[in-house]
Amino acid sequence: MTPKLSNAARVRPLVRRFLPAGLALLTFGLSACNSANESKAPAAPSAVGEAEFNGAEFNYDGLDHAWQSGPQANLGALTLDPGDNSLSFENWISASNGWGPIERNRSSGEKNAGDGRTLTLNGKTYDKGFGVHASSSMTFNIGAKCSTFTSDIGIDDEVGNKGSVVFQVFADGSKIYDSGKMTGSSATKRLKLDVSGKKELRLVVTDAGDGLSYDHADWAAPMLLKCGSAITPPPVVPPTTPPAPVVSPYAQKVLELSNAARAIARTCADSKTADNPNPKSGFFPAVAPLTLSDQLAQSAQGHATDMASRDYFSHDSLDGRSFDQRITQAGYAWRTIGENIAAGQQTPEAVVSGWLSDYGHCANIMNASYTNLGVGYAEGGSYGKYWVQDFGAPR
């Protein structure tokens, strides 16, 4: 199985405001994921011209046709009937779309309103839902009245196997779902998410970091289930804090190799490929070595063990915690933090070399703002070996 890499970062200034940083990256055909929440202006399509799929033409003229809508009604909670409700009948608080307006109960189509087609995912048609174009966002006030959100998601058949997007769902500002990268050839995914006690539901589609061309995404048959009066969520039981981990020889070696890399000025760069003709690069001077942090080591080791034992690969734990939440729960009071993860590499030398060959992971290792490091290593799962670096600087 091909080894995997992924990186992310968070910054917490003294005013405790998040600044987005970190990008999901692909290097030498490696898969990647992204746990950073980033807001950016829509970019013009990466391709200019025409493409035809299933008889439909999509004209990308290189201009910015981004669209934004304010509230469609007052800002109160949705008027939801008891029981199950189709979200496609409801008004949003705010919405934006990367290419033309969001279409209700139709596919995205072109840049004009009402030019969409029947929502279709892998041959299955839907009469209810939203056709959007990355980068897209819709926010709804659901008033803590419903227990479950469901939807089928995917890239609409109207673009064939083109396009690449990531679907994300946020509830009261916290991400509760990330689809990973989906393309026009991906199987349809079915969401069933707990939204008990949540007041705000936000549906996001990003361009997967490779431009917005043909990113026609569908939220098909979106439903809010078991709605009624405001629902009180079950109490959250905080995870038991494990003792500080003993640093394994592999983890110690990763620390030594990372500090050896920091001691030498270098250019961090992505590889140039047909899909990435202008790879990102930057020069980083030599910086001071990192010191081990028990709290960061606890967070990193816990996540490595969890990924290996539960067989997944993501910055977000299966219990919904993001890496910044895990680090905070480990007791590390941070000003800025970052994370690199990897799976499948057999040795510390291989994993550090892989991280250094990719701009985002290399930039984390060479970041002069970081002073502490925690390293996690665990065996198991589909990839055999799982690696985590948690970087930080204390407040």
Side-chain angles (χ1 to χ4, degrees):
M1 187 171 288
T2 304
K4 303 178 77 171
L5 302 173
S6 186
N7 76 289
R10 291 282 190 275
V11 175
R12 176 182 283 169
L14 294 179
V15 294
R16 299 175 183 248
R17 176 171 58 87
F18 280 90
L19 296 178
L23 295 174
L25 299 134
L26 293 168
T27 305
F28 301 123
L30 301 173
S31 300
C33 67
N34 176 23
S35 69
N37 297 333
E38 181 168 293
S39 176
K40 57 185 179 182
S46 59
V48 178
E50 296 183 359
E52 184 172 341
F53 302 102
N54 301 328
E57 293 184 355
F58 303 104
N59 302 311
Y60 288 98
D61 55 13
L63 302 178
D64 184 358
H65 294 285
W67 171 90
Q68 186 168 354
S69 171
Q72 295 181 310
N74 62 54
L75 298 185
L78 300 180
T79 304
L80 298 169
D81 296 327
D84 299 341
N85 292 260
S86 173
L87 191 61
S88 63
F89 290 121
E90 305 298 342
N91 292 325
W92 50 61
I93 296 173
S94 63
S96 61
N97 209 42
W99 190 263
I102 292 173
E103 299 282 3
R104 194 183 293 268
N105 302 328
R106 303 291 285 173
S107 67
S108 176
E110 257 287 357
K111 61 181 177 290
N112 297 318
D115 60 7
R117 300 160 180 82
T118 301
L119 294 162
T120 309
L121 296 176
N122 291 298
K124 181 179 179 180
T125 60
Y126 300 80
D127 60 354
K128 300 293 186 294
F130 298 98
V132 304
H133 198 303
S135 295
S136 170
S137 174
M138 296 181 288
T139 302
F140 301 88
N141 183 347
I142 61 175
K145 292 183 178 181
C146 304
S147 67
T148 305
F149 169 69
T150 65
S151 181
D152 287 359
I153 58 171
I155 291 184
D156 196 274
D157 287 5
E158 68 185 0
V159 296
N161 62 3
K162 292 281 188 176
S164 56
V165 302
V166 176
F167 290 82
Q168 297 175 332
V169 180
F170 296 81
D172 288 351
S174 297
K175 184 165 66 175
I176 60 174
Y177 178 78
D178 189 301
S179 68
K181 185 176 180 178
M182 296 183 69
T183 69
S185 59
S186 297
T188 304
K189 294 186 178 182
R190 176 69 172 171
L191 307 189
K192 186 175 182 180
L193 305 174
D194 183 6
V195 293
S196 300
K198 304 301 183 183
K199 296 180 179 179
E200 183 180 277
L201 180 69
R202 183 175 176 233
L203 308 181
V204 173
V205 175
T206 76
D207 65 4
D210 56 7
L212 55 76
S213 294
Y214 313 111
D215 289 352
H216 295 212
D218 293 344
W219 298 94
M223 297 288 295
L224 291 168
L225 307 181
K226 300 179 181 178
C227 301
S229 56
I231 297 172
T232 302
V236 176
V237 179
T240 302
T241 301
V246 176
V247 180
S248 71
Y250 270 14
Q252 181 64 38
K253 186 64 175 178
V254 169
L255 171 67
E256 294 172 1
L257 292 169
S258 299
N259 280 335
R262 287 169 65 91
I264 302 172
R266 68 184 61 242
T267 297
C268 295
D270 290 335
S271 295
K272 186 174 182 179
T273 65
D275 293 332
N276 187 21
N278 298 303
K280 190 172 185 179
S281 66
F283 176 78
F284 291 82
V287 290
L290 300 164
T291 59
L292 280 177
S293 159
D294 286 345
Q295 292 91 348
L296 291 178
Q298 176 179 304
S299 173
Q301 185 59 51
H303 191 47
T305 300
D306 195 49
M307 287 193 294
S309 63
R310 303 176 73 181
D311 197 12
Y312 70 98
F313 181 77
S314 172
H315 290 285
D316 292 336
S317 304
L318 293 184
D319 61 10
R321 290 179 299 154
S322 58
F323 81 98
D324 50 304
Q325 291 173 320
R326 292 192 304 269
I327 289 173
T328 299
Q329 288 172 357
Y332 188 79
W334 52 273
R335 175 175 56 84
T336 180
I337 51 173
E339 180 172 85
N340 287 345
I341 62 176
Q345 294 79 6
Q346 297 301 301
T347 66
E349 290 81 3
V351 72
V352 174
S353 176
W355 281 329
L356 290 173
S357 69
D358 175 276
Y359 176 82
H361 305 91
C362 178
N364 266 350
I365 292 174
M366 298 299 295
N367 192 331
S369 298
Y370 298 143
T371 58
N372 298 140
L373 179 68
V375 179
Y377 167 78
E379 298 183 0
S382 299
Y383 288 91
K385 298 179 186 294
Y386 292 78
W387 310 82
V388 179
Q389 284 182 310
D390 280 341
F391 304 87
R395 289 206 300 267

